[in-house]
Amino acid sequence: MAHSTDSVFINLGPVHPSTHGVFRMRAHIDGEVITDIEPVFGYLHRGIEKLAEGKSYRQVIPLTDRLDYVASMNNNLAYCMAVEKLAGIEVPERAVYIRVIMAELQRIISHLLGIGSFFNDMGTFFTPFFYMFIQKEKITDLLEMVSGQRLLFNYMRFGGVSHDLPDPFLPALSQFLREMPAEIDKYERLLKENEIVLARSRNVGVLSREMAINSSISGPVLRASGVNWDIRKADPYSCYDRFDFDVPTGSNGDCYDRYRVRIEELRQSLRILEQAVSKLPKGKVINPVPLRFKPPVGEAYSHIEGNKGELGFYIVSDGSDKPYRMHVRAPSLLNLSALREMLIGWKLADAIIIFGSIDICLGEVDR
Amino acid sequence: MEVRIEPCYPEIDAHESRVIEDLKSSSTQPIAEPSGWLDEEINRNILVTTVDKLLNWGRKTSLWTETSFTACCTFEFISTSSSRFDIARFGMEVLRSSPRHSDLIVTAGTLTWKMAPQIKRVYDQMAEPKWVIAMGACGISGGIFADSYSVVPGYNRILPVDVYIPGCPPRPEALLAGIEKLRKKIEQSSISNKS
Amino acid sequence: MTIKLSREIINHSLHEHVSSTDYSFESEAVVTDSASLVKICEVLKSAPGIELDYLSSVTAVDYPDYFEVVYLFYSIKHNHSLTLKVRCPDKQQPDIPSITPLYNGANYQEREIYDLFGISFVSHPKLRRIFLWEGYPGHPLRKDYGIGS
Ligand code: SF4
């Protein structure tokens, strides 16, 4: 008797442990193989861009915290840089360095969580995740020291940062910088050449260089496809041009490369942190700006290399104390542009891994 | 570069919109707290029997949590359930992705109207007895997003909430305190008033 | 440093394909209308020495007299950038040609603008709401839509 399989329509999410939040996919599968997929967005659409239009410039900073909530310092930084560009505000040297330190610590947190949940999706249920969580908690403590919050820091201000580093911060950071390389080696011993990891992620979900560029992919996903594009190098902001670091790239653009790029970026972030700590100048940390200040009429776009890719803020000012329009160039949303190309033709179980390797944050996808 | 055209399911979308609109129009008022456990009347009338004690002990020491991880508060929930804050002390380390396995839903994050029917469905599928903890300002009232056009002003519009934990996000200690409150509440319930 | 493309270079590569009345310069941006948008994008994407291969972002702004759609392009090869603006004076039925066939990265962003501003992108492969549900009343990011509703 001849057997034939019918195409089945299934629904993944939005309440699903592998979707990193509330993402949803409607998939057509033939047997185990995905034949077509439709991503559905909007389950966390909170209207941040509209709410920003009703708040004063400074009140928007806490809103930006909640975009990519695993890296709120980065969001603060990008937003403050855009407003500073708009109004021509100078940032004191010490604050520039502090901002870099915070941004790199956030990148480490985000990459640790990204790698951890990627392995969760692969089936190493929570073991690597909890190893990485230990370090994440250590960084959280550091950031709590400076900001008083554990997750949404709201630390940066126009013209600097809200207050100076507390005394115990730098010794604690140095301690962390001493310990962390050994921790990364530990993850590598556990995972790098693990047979299952290799079998499940090598050559899976390949994203070609051309497709990545055409689909506006950015961040580690773009670099894993072999494109050497890092805004910290291509368009240096803050004081990144004074540091010595490399931009890791992959060659195949598969899930394994994306994981490797993130691990290498952890090492590079540690390098940057070491240099920033040793060069940290003395002085004031903020050029105060009036609470309800009014930037001149105009517009500004400013971008940073966020943890997930190019994070940009486009701000239009009409001269009042509220932004006329604020747009967030959200790397998480755009990194999904090529999702269908990456998923179609793979088995459902691979789809979960491929999706995990993109590492999105729903707060930023839906905004 | 050829990019295949995305599929499109207008009927499913239309159905989803209807469900959202229905839920939105039927949940304009907050739902009251579920059991009147502090209510004098009931307190006088129930008998705290040994059966109750045994049942409540069982229930409160193995609260299995449904993952309803919508937004930022999630990360504080995960921190709480990881080794540092060690939620396993309360028999709660089991996170279930299936509502049929769980007794408790911790609403960690902002709820949007688009998401609301899904959460309500998850809640409806949970077996009795079940409890709800509204975690964070968003869970209580919509928090910083209360004014937004797409955000539900508090989970109590669609679910009966037992314990509210303020904070944005609540610290793990606060979450643990809230869980402790819920355990007290379970201790005082009786089969004669909460099914 | 990512540098902004200078006017001379843009003029030089556009003059053969687009008449110079179809676009103008405003501070650092090129402003055009919806009729010549696709042509300009096509030329700038492939013109040697320019090769704007990366579409960074697409967004829209609701000004009192017109909608403005703002495109930001980079060239990864040459590390320069260009801001392109398209004005759409018809506020009742705004429409603009889609550039999704050229840049796949525009897909979701154009849908987002359609959803939140109500600007239609002609010949977009799937122009449906992305964040809000079908049948949602109004387009929230328009200025006539109240903030606290
Ligand atoms: S209460 Fe605060 S931290 Fe929690 S989901 Fe809402 S905005 Fe995020």
Side-chain angles (χ1 to χ4, degrees):
Chain A
M1 207 173 85
H3 287 277
S4 66
T5 50
D6 241 348
S7 166
V8 184
F9 177 72
I10 64 161
N11 179 54
L12 272 159
V15 185
H16 189 278
S18 76
T19 57
H20 299 215
V22 288
F23 188 65
R24 179 176 185 186
M25 294 181 265
R26 296 178 184 144
H28 271 291
I29 51 173
D30 180 7
E32 283 245 26
V33 179
I34 294 181
T35 53
D36 209 344
I37 197 152
E38 185 205 12
V40 187
F41 303 86
Y43 292 95
L44 192 54
H45 177 63
R46 307 188 269 197
I48 287 181
E49 290 179 5
K50 185 71 179 180
L51 287 175
E53 291 174 12
K55 297 193 189 292
S56 73
Y57 279 91
R58 189 164 148 164
Q59 286 171 330
V60 176
I61 301 177
L63 276 180
T64 64
D65 273 332
R66 285 151 182 82
L67 284 166
D68 179 355
Y69 33 79
V70 296
S72 54
M73 289 278 193
N74 275 333
N75 306 335
N76 286 179
L77 174 60
Y79 172 68
C80 288
M81 276 174 49
V83 175
E84 282 154 8
K85 189 171 172 187
L86 187 65
I89 303 167
E90 286 290 315
V91 183
E93 198 67 346
R94 185 174 170 85
V96 171
Y97 275 79
I98 293 178
R99 284 175 168 194
V100 168
I101 293 176
M102 297 306 152
E104 292 305 316
L105 285 173
Q106 282 278 255
R107 192 184 316 277
I108 296 178
I109 289 193
S110 164
H111 281 0
L112 285 177
L113 291 174
I115 299 165
S117 45
F118 168 60
F119 282 107
N120 254 5
D121 295 341
M122 201 181 280
T124 58
F125 197 64
F126 278 109
T127 309
F129 191 78
F130 278 163
Y131 270 105
M132 290 167 193
F133 222 83
I134 298 171
Q135 299 309 314
K136 183 249 164 195
E137 284 290 326
K138 285 187 182 155
I139 305 175
T140 305
D141 281 355
L142 286 172
L143 298 180
E144 187 185 351
M145 243 184 239
V146 296
S147 70
Q149 247 273 24
R150 273 177 50 90
L151 186 70
L152 309 170
F153 304 103
N154 189 14
Y155 178 57
M156 308 211 179
R157 296 287 182 277
F158 310 133
V161 296
S162 70
H163 27 247
D164 203 352
L165 301 173
D167 293 337
F169 178 81
L170 285 176
L173 177 61
S174 310
Q175 165 88 10
F176 169 78
L177 290 178
R178 271 197 303 280
E179 286 171 10
M180 190 62 190
E183 290 292 326
I184 299 178
D185 292 342
K186 192 157 83 186
Y187 311 148
E188 295 283 76
R189 268 206 311 283
L190 266 176
L191 302 165
K192 187 178 175 190
E193 264 143 37
N194 183 312
E195 237 170 85
I196 302 175
V197 171
L198 289 178
R200 294 218 54 194
S201 63
R202 270 243 173 109
N203 296 323
V204 173
V206 177
L207 177 65
S208 71
R209 186 192 152 93
E210 290 69 37
M211 192 68 211
I213 293 178
N214 193 267
S215 303
S216 307
I217 307 285
S218 55
V221 185
L222 178 69
R223 291 192 281 277
S225 293
V227 185
N228 189 333
W229 180 257
D230 184 321
I231 293 165
R232 290 174 294 175
K233 288 274 191 202
D235 189 13
Y237 54 93
S238 289
C239 51
Y240 278 106
D241 46 355
R242 284 173 236 168
F243 300 135
D244 182 24
F245 65 99
D246 302 325
V247 179
T249 52
S251 48
N252 295 332
D254 54 11
C255 293
Y256 189 71
D257 275 359
R258 292 193 268 279
Y259 147 64
R260 296 306 309 157
V261 165
R262 290 205 175 89
I263 287 276
E264 286 308 319
E265 286 195 1
L266 289 180
R267 295 217 170 91
Q268 299 305 325
S269 289
L270 293 178
R271 267 177 81 187
I272 296 175
L273 280 169
E274 260 158 26
Q275 296 170 47
V277 169
S278 65
K279 289 185 189 162
L280 184 66
K282 294 226 171 347
K284 57 178 184 172
V285 294
I286 186 162
N287 288 330
V289 166
L291 212 50
R292 279 196 167 264
F293 91 111
K294 298 179 178 166
V297 181
E299 56 180 57
Y301 177 82
S302 169
H303 57 183
I304 66 166
E305 181 66 33
N307 41 314
K308 303 206 158 72
E310 178 189 351
L311 174 66
F313 279 78
Y314 176 70
I315 296 174
V316 180
S317 157
D318 60 350
S320 71
D321 59 348
K322 295 172 181 156
Y324 185 77
R325 166 94 173 102
M326 180 188 90
H327 172 72
V328 189
R329 192 267 182 213
S332 294
L333 173 67
L334 292 176
N335 283 359
L336 293 176
S337 299
L339 181 69
R340 296 180 63 247
E341 301 303 308
M342 289 155 87
L343 291 189
I344 292 172
W346 291 98
K347 296 216 167 79
L348 198 54
D350 294 325
I352 305 290
I353 295 179
I354 299 169
F355 184 74
S357 75
I358 303 176
D359 184 25
I360 58 161
C361 174
L362 260 297
E364 195 177 65
V365 173
D366 291 343
R367 280 164 281 143
Chain B
M1 212 154 317
E2 254 330 286
V3 176
R4 279 168 280 190
I5 291 177
E6 241 179 57
C8 179
Y9 306 101
E11 315 87 60
I12 302 182
D13 286 342
H15 178 253
E16 191 181 351
S17 319
R18 267 201 306 282
V19 173
I20 296 170
E21 294 289 349
D22 286 352
L23 186 67
K24 195 172 172 183
S25 56
S26 66
S27 16
T28 49
Q29 290 305 316
I31 299 173
E33 228 215 284
S35 60
W37 61 294
L38 282 175
D39 196 303
E40 270 299 299
E41 190 76 14
I42 296 173
N43 262 355
R44 262 188 282 119
N45 289 334
I46 53 167
L47 294 171
V48 182
T49 61
T50 329
V51 181
D52 273 345
K53 263 201 186 138
L54 180 68
L55 268 181
N56 290 343
W57 172 80
R59 284 170 178 173
K60 78 167 195 205
T61 44
S62 69
L63 283 169
W64 286 14
T65 319
E66 162 68 29
T67 53
S68 108
F69 292 162
T70 50
C72 354
C73 281
T74 307
F75 277 89
E76 286 307 63
F77 188 89
I78 298 176
S79 296
T80 317
S81 55
S82 66
S83 42
R84 183 172 181 196
F85 295 95
D86 197 15
I87 210 172
R89 285 175 286 170
F90 308 106
M92 282 183 66
E93 75 277 21
V94 198
L95 291 181
R96 289 283 102 171
S97 304
S98 163
R100 293 175 186 83
H101 299 172
S102 31
D103 323 286
L104 169 66
I105 179 164
V106 178
T107 64
T110 322
L111 184 66
T112 59
W113 282 113
K114 195 167 178 181
M115 189 65 192
Q118 319 279 348
I119 294 286
K120 180 143 173 53
R121 188 158 158 213
V122 166
Y123 177 79
D124 290 343
Q125 287 177 353
M126 285 162 61
E128 291 278 353
K130 52 190 172 188
W131 294 275
V132 181
I133 292 184
M135 180 180 180
C138 287
I140 298 173
S141 66
I144 187 170
F145 303 109
D147 289 343
S148 171
Y149 49 85
S150 56
V151 170
V152 182
Y155 276 82
N156 59 14
R157 291 292 171 99
I158 60 161
L159 307 180
V161 177
D162 291 272
V163 174
Y164 296 86
I165 306 174
C168 184
R171 298 177 61 87
E173 293 88 342
L175 180 59
L176 291 175
I179 289 169
E180 199 42 51
K181 292 245 156 60
L182 181 70
R183 284 158 59 89
K184 290 233 173 68
K185 185 168 181 171
I186 296 173
E187 238 167 55
Q188 293 174 30
S189 69
S190 165
I191 33 175
S192 52
N193 65 30
K194 179 150 185 169
S195 61
Chain C
M1 252 346 215
T2 310
I3 41 166
K4 288 269 174 203
L5 276 177
S6 71
R7 295 180 180 197
E8 295 74 54
I9 301 179
I10 297 169
N11 276 333
H12 178 72
S13 50
L14 284 184
H15 79 273
E16 276 178 23
H17 310 274
V18 188
S19 104
S20 58
T21 51
D22 283 349
Y23 64 93
S24 58
F25 293 95
E26 239 173 58
S27 66
E28 285 185 326
V30 178
V31 181
T32 181
D33 55 7
S34 52
S36 25
L37 167 71
V38 174
K39 190 74 210 162
I40 290 183
C41 289
E42 267 170 7
V43 173
L44 293 180
K45 192 179 175 189
S46 52
I50 294 199
E51 281 154 291
L52 296 169
D53 48 4
Y54 188 90
L55 172 69
S56 168
S57 76
V58 185
T59 185
V61 188
D62 178 4
Y63 287 110
D65 305 329
Y66 50 84
F67 285 111
E68 185 173 272
V69 181
V70 185
Y71 301 82
L72 177 64
F73 297 98
Y74 300 140
S75 164
I76 290 202
K77 193 165 162 201
H78 305 291
N79 198 5
H80 53 219
S81 71
L82 171 83
T83 311
L84 183 65
K85 293 180 174 177
V86 180
R87 302 228 163 110
C88 188
D90 181 1
K91 291 203 84 167
Q92 297 310 314
Q93 290 229 318
D95 54 14
I96 278 179
S98 162
I99 60 165
T100 305
L102 280 175
Y103 295 94
N104 187 29
N107 185 350
Y108 294 145
Q109 305 191 73
E110 289 182 343
R111 276 177 70 188
E112 181 186 333
I113 296 170
Y114 169 70
D115 187 354
L116 303 179
F117 282 94
I119 300 175
S120 307
F121 287 86
V122 181
S123 77
H124 185 285
K126 179 186 172 186
L127 197 62
R128 294 176 68 77
R129 297 199 99 131
I130 183 167
F131 292 148
L132 296 164
W133 53 95
E134 291 298 325
Y136 182 87
H139 300 285
L141 279 179
R142 287 192 180 181
K143 285 288 170 188
D144 53 12
Y145 191 98
I147 287 173
S149 58

